[in-house]
Amino acid sequence: MVPTPPQPDAAALARALDGGVRSVFQPIVELDTGRVVAYEALARGPEGPLERPDQLFAAARAAGLLTELDEACREAAFRGAVEHGLLDPLTVFVNVEPEVLDSAPLSDLLALAESAPRALRVVLEVTERALAARPAELLRTVERVRRFGWGVALDDVGADPMSLSFMPLLRPDVVKLDLRLVQERPGPEIAQIMNAVNAYAESTGALVLAEGIETEAHLATARALGAELGQGWLFGRPAAGPVEGREVAGLVLPPQGCAEEGLDGSPFRCLPPSARLRHAPKALLIELSKQLEREAVRVGETCVVGATFQEARHLTPATVVRYRELAGATGFVCALGEGVPTEPVPGVRGADLAADDPVRGEWDLVVLGPHFAAALLARDLGSPGPERERQFEYALTYERATVVRAAQALLSRVAPRSPGAVPPAPVALLRPLPPVPAPRSADSAHRAVLDDLGATDPLTGLPGRRRTEELLDVAVWDARTGSDALALLVVTVDGLGAVADRLGTPAAEDLLRTTARRLRARLRRGDVLGRIGPGRFAVALGALAPDAAGQEADRIRASLLEAVRSPFVVAGEPVVLDAQIGTALCPADGDDVPALLRAATAGWLPRPL
């Protein structure tokens, strides 16, 4: 049996922190010339169970001493670099742990660097582990070290799509490719990564560094991937001092400017003076936002999405559904607003905005990917009236620099994720629509062709059940937060199954399309009409005067019945359908969609369709 290695105790960790941490240095070379331009400082503990960095950091994390260890590692890196003459024109790459980003005493280290005999040039490395865990602290750390004149490197790019999402936000001077890109066979995933990395490098001047170069074949692959710098055993293993016999040169980093507004600014203020501002009601901004959300889903797992909601109450049930889907389809999603918890929707990062935060008065949606950038940036004008008619001043921009600054302003406010914490309950959860009663007739095969429950019904072109759920929730939410009433109607068309049996499924489908067109023609502009079952439709009539809502709902109900019962001609034959239509009023019969649907269909018996 292999003996279990001794476990480090608190005393061993204390000794490690008290001068026992040292650094070894691995060279970074120019691939074209072989000249050494930098060294990466790698931490090592004292001889014994804490010598390996993974065991050292695990012990410190378990003891709650990670900040102290991280500080000791950087001090060891700086002192070792000075001791071994790794000074200008060379550069030293130093790592920072994600958990200590906001508490790292970087000003103390700056003083240490300034005391060196010659300039100590520093590039701070951050890993993609920091991206999702602490985006606000990461952005602020990057802002601070740039003021010191240090560079920034993003490590392990390609190990996770998240790193591609955050590249334009961190603006790294050096992009370090994960070693598997060099050591594994090329494939579609590697092509996607390099497409994004090279696009970023071309637009910013950032340097691409390939890690894990151990053979001449790895070197050839690194060059093919577009890397200018390399690191790996082919050029030298980590050692206490510099490699012998190699020419050195300076590492030229791209110039980095600072955002004019800084991280405390608001997305709307990131718009340039030349931006064309328009006025629009909330109803239009809702649709513009949904279109950008669809673009984000198209971009996929390399996309960052940031949104503001002013107050938590604006995270409606329909919005929760959409953002749950966004979180599953994209790389990172955050939602900000007064009263918004740290995780308002599973997978979505949140932030509670103070009442005086300038973002509190904005409607912002930012979508940023390697090859796509768009932002809806709006400011509430404080107009009175119904919720959907509230006026905003807004701009829709695809200018990448503006989108990046707006995204940085949002992510700089995102609360850190606590390891192991139980996610708080979402602000609102969409309850499903009551199930459509199963038809009793035997022609279920025919009706299956007629039934679509997706976002859009391909047969009629109307919203399908999922999209209708969202629209109904929005309509009910507007009625609850405004002064108008809402009527919800459920229309069940009878006779479609018989037409399918007698004339065939294509004839029944054509009849259903014609029925949907008739219903739409009898409704007002802005009324909701969606298909929620084989022959069932939902209608929402918004903006009704409370004292006349019942009469108006009855009038439209009668008009819809007439539209369905009027004779059709299908395949040259006359066809007559029937319908039953139930009505419910909000708030009189319920204040959410399930309650209103129950009220509208109360007492109904399933009918053959």
Side-chain angles (χ1 to χ4, degrees), residues 70-96:
D70 197 62
E71 180 183 357
C73 289
R74 285 198 303 277
E75 287 186 2
F78 280 41
R79 296 188 191 281
V82 172
E83 178 184 347
H84 295 290
L86 307 181
L87 304 171
D88 187 20
L90 291 170
T91 299
V92 177
F93 282 58
V94 181
N95 292 279
V96 63

Side-chain angles (χ1 to χ4, degrees), residues 252-324:
V252 181
L253 300 178
Q256 288 285 350
C258 295
E260 294 178 4
E261 275 296 316
L263 296 178
D264 293 325
S266 76
F268 189 82
R269 292 176 184 171
C270 293
L271 288 167
S274 59
R276 184 180 177 184
L277 299 178
R278 298 176 172 87
H279 287 194
K282 177 180 177 178
L284 176 60
L285 298 191
I286 290 174
E287 297 307 319
L288 291 175
S289 297
K290 290 176 180 177
Q291 176 59 33
L292 289 185
E293 291 165 9
R294 289 190 286 270
E295 292 287 352
V297 171
R298 181 185 61 80
V299 174
E301 60 184 358
T302 61
C303 186
V304 168
V305 180
T308 62
F309 291 90
Q310 296 189 301
E311 301 173 34
R313 65 185 180 89
H314 295 309
L315 273 167
T316 67
T319 306
V320 167
V321 170
R322 298 202 316 273
Y323 273 70
R324 190 164 52 219

Side-chain angles (χ1 to χ4, degrees), residues 284-588:
L284 176 60
L285 298 191
I286 290 174
E287 297 307 319
L288 291 175
S289 297
K290 290 176 180 177
Q291 176 59 33
L292 289 185
E293 291 165 9
R294 289 190 286 270
E295 292 287 352
V297 171
R298 181 185 61 80
V299 174
E301 60 184 358
T302 61
C303 186
V304 168
V305 180
T308 62
F309 291 90
Q310 296 189 301
E311 301 173 34
R313 65 185 180 89
H314 295 309
L315 273 167
T316 67
T319 306
V320 167
V321 170
R322 298 202 316 273
Y323 273 70
R324 190 164 52 219
E325 294 178 353
L326 269 179
T330 62
F332 182 91
V333 183
C334 65
L336 290 70
E338 187 175 356
V340 173
T342 56
E343 193 167 7
V345 180
V348 176
R349 302 294 297 280
D352 182 5
L353 298 179
D356 60 350
D357 191 312
V359 179
R360 168 65 177 76
E362 296 185 7
W363 178 315
D364 304 310
L365 179 62
V366 176
V367 176
L368 182 62
H371 311 291
F372 180 83
L376 171 64
L377 307 177
R379 179 168 56 191
D380 193 339
L381 296 177
S383 59
E387 183 71 15
R388 288 178 65 87
E389 298 303 317
R390 284 173 47 216
Q391 292 294 307
F392 288 79
E393 186 178 37
Y394 83 98
L396 186 63
T397 179
Y398 296 88
E399 202 279 314
R400 189 170 189 85
T402 301
V403 176
V404 168
R405 289 196 298 270
Q408 289 171 330
L410 291 181
L411 268 67
S412 69
R413 292 166 162 85
V414 173
R417 173 177 289 160
S418 300
V422 178
V427 171
L429 291 176
L430 178 65
R431 284 171 283 178
L433 291 171
V436 178
R440 292 185 299 181
S441 60
D443 58 341
S444 59
H446 290 142
R447 276 184 292 279
V449 179
L450 301 176
D451 189 12
D452 177 82
L453 303 180
T456 301
D457 173 28
L459 183 60
T460 65
L462 296 175
R465 176 178 290 182
R466 189 172 69 232
R467 177 66 171 144
T468 303
E469 290 175 353
E470 298 176 359
L471 295 173
L472 294 179
D473 272 300
V474 169
V476 170
W477 191 266
D478 287 342
R480 289 172 55 186
T481 57
S483 57
D484 295 328
L486 168 80
L488 188 149
L489 284 65
V490 178
V491 181
T492 298
V493 179
D494 299 328
L496 292 170
V499 172
D501 287 339
R502 184 160 56 95
L503 301 176
T505 297
E509 291 177 341
D510 184 62
L511 180 58
L512 186 63
R513 279 190 291 268
T514 303
T515 302
R517 287 196 295 269
R518 284 189 180 184
L519 294 174
R520 179 74 268 176
R522 300 297 181 102
L523 298 175
R524 307 166 304 170
R525 182 181 180 88
D527 289 341
V528 173
L529 172 65
R531 184 176 174 219
I532 59 173
R536 179 165 287 189
F537 302 87
V539 176
L541 310 175
L544 301 178
D547 56 352
Q551 296 91 321
E552 181 66 7
D554 288 343
R555 184 188 69 78
I556 295 179
R557 176 182 180 277
S559 178
L560 296 178
L561 279 172
E562 181 185 19
V564 176
R565 290 170 175 171
S566 297
F568 297 82
V569 176
V570 180
E573 295 189 21
V575 172
V576 177
L577 299 177
D578 197 4
Q580 52 182 338
I581 301 179
T583 305
L585 298 178
C586 176

Side-chain angles (χ1 to χ4, degrees), residues 175-197:
V175 176
K176 299 188 69 175
L177 303 179
D178 184 66
L179 58 84
R180 71 185 181 90
L181 273 67
V182 168
Q183 297 181 355
E184 294 182 2
R185 293 176 60 86
E189 184 182 1
I190 291 179
Q192 179 193 32
I193 294 166
M194 293 315 304
N195 194 16
V197 168

Side-chain angles (χ1 to χ4, degrees), residues 43-63:
R44 297 290 186 268
E47 290 186 6
L50 294 182
E51 183 173 10
R52 286 176 42 183
D54 56 342
Q55 295 177 346
L56 178 64
F57 276 87
R61 186 176 287 108

Side-chain angles (χ1 to χ4, degrees), residues 182 213-223 234-235 246:
V182 168
I213 300 177
E214 300 178 358
T215 66
E216 291 294 336
H218 293 164
L219 176 58
T221 300
R223 285 178 168 145
L234 185 63
F235 310 117
R246 281 192 179 270

